[in-house]
Amino acid sequence: MTAVRTHTHAQAVDAAIDLFSRQGYEQTTVEEIADAAQVSRATFFRRFRSKEDVVFADHELLLEEVVVMLAATRPEARDSVEAGTRETVWDPAVDPYLEVCRAARLVFDHHVGQRETSLARHRLLQEVPALRDRELVTTHRYERAFTAYLRDTLPPDRSTTTMSIAFAASVVAVHNAVLRRWLRNPHLDLRPDLEEAFAELRRAAWAPGAEGGTPPASTGTSDQAGEGSTRRVVVAVLDADADADDVARAVRDVLA
């Protein structure tokens, strides 16, 4: 994560996770977290509203960073002098699907980079049901951010709400599946697996007959949408413990 994760923020998050792991979530007080982080109680509440918030504080920063990262490749809106109207200009070199995968990779790299905190947070989530519920809410926020970006960034002839939702959900599902594997086996380097799974999702999205259409020239793919290709709703049903390969394979099989 960038410098937006300040020293005070990092101290508070790391101290809270450590105390929760050693003492238990319910048994740990805000005062203890503030003391361990060497900040005042007032400072703690200016940054975090509750103990639950501090557990997911990094995600708040990550979401902000993801939104900023994606915004940099959104199409530009500019005034048309001749027509006297405002038009949207798409960059043909931008692959919106690739940009979403890059944003998800940012989240994955943060977890891996904060190894001990990530592992401790994962154990904590297994022990506290309320925190698992909050994690689901956070996951949906990433999906909404990805979906909104795709709807705004894919050119009109390629953009549909259905495809945007499906691709965003698939990317988040693949990311979470690979992340869970890493959390169970933190000695493994699973980034190549994540990259391959994302690449497979992009190939499926740009495949002939898929709603995505033809990829930008910069993506390096040669898939072309055939004449008379039809648009369709894509639904893939998987078990809750499906891994990245299962998700990618299911989407590919349906699109095929």
Side-chain angles (χ1 to χ4, degrees):
M1 187 180 293
T2 65
V4 73
R5 191 181 196 260
T6 64
H7 179 66
T8 300
H9 173 99
Q11 275 190 315
V13 171
D14 295 345
I17 297 297
D18 177 63
L19 286 170
F20 294 153
S21 299
R22 291 190 290 106
Q23 300 180 177
Y25 179 75
E26 298 297 341
Q27 291 71 30
T28 301
T29 66
V30 167
E31 288 75 12
E32 289 175 319
I33 298 172
D35 288 344
Q38 299 180 336
V39 299
S40 68
R41 190 173 186 275
T43 297
F44 178 90
F45 279 115
R46 277 200 301 270
R47 292 176 175 271
F48 318 102
R49 291 172 298 179
S50 66
K51 293 192 300 183
E52 183 177 293
D53 279 352
V54 77
V55 174
F56 295 94
D58 279 1
H59 277 297
E60 295 299 321
L61 297 182
L62 279 166
L63 274 163
E64 291 178 12
E65 194 164 352
V66 160
V67 170
V68 170
M69 179 180 178
L70 293 175
T73 59
R74 283 179 181 272
E76 296 181 0
R78 67 187 183 195
D79 295 325
S80 174
V81 178
E82 295 87 1
T85 59
R86 194 162 179 78
E87 61 182 11
T88 301
V89 181
W90 278 267
D91 183 350
V94 172
D95 179 350
Y97 297 128
L98 178 61
E99 297 304 324
V100 167
C101 291
R102 285 176 175 167
R105 187 190 311 132
L106 173 75
V107 180
F108 184 83
D109 287 345
H110 170 77
H111 284 292
V112 174
Q114 304 289 330
R115 171 176 167 146
E116 296 308 319
T117 298
S118 296
L119 294 175
R121 182 188 287 113
H122 177 64
R123 290 191 294 269
L124 183 63
L125 293 179
Q126 309 313 303
E127 299 168 359
V128 184
L131 296 181
R132 290 201 297 275
D133 293 340
R134 173 67 177 270
E135 184 183 33
L136 289 175
V137 172
T138 301
T139 296
H140 291 319
R141 292 177 65 191
Y142 282 111
E143 285 187 23
R144 287 197 297 272
F146 293 160
T147 299
Y149 168 78
L150 290 171
R151 279 202 306 253
D152 293 346
T153 308
L154 287 167
D157 60 328
R158 302 174 186 169
S159 177
T160 69
T161 297
T162 299
M163 189 59 191
S164 298
I165 292 174
F167 189 83
S170 297
V171 166
V172 171
V174 164
H175 169 276
N176 291 347
V178 176
L179 181 61
R180 282 193 296 269
R181 283 178 56 201
W182 176 79
L183 288 166
R184 292 192 296 267
N185 306 278
H187 60 284
L188 297 178
D189 177 12
L190 295 181
R191 183 164 180 176
D193 295 51
L194 183 71
E195 296 291 353
E196 178 55 34
F198 282 165
E200 191 161 354
L201 289 179
R202 294 200 308 275
R203 285 193 293 270
W206 287 118
E211 294 180 56
T214 304
S218 63
T219 62
T221 66
S222 59
D223 293 333
Q224 300 291 325
E227 293 185 10
S229 62
T230 58
R231 296 188 173 191
R232 50 189 167 147
V233 175
V234 177
V235 178
V237 180
L238 300 99
D239 294 332
D241 59 350
D243 62 18
D245 292 338
D246 294 331
V247 175
R249 189 179 304 111
V251 173
R252 180 197 62 206
D253 290 346
V254 172
L255 289 175

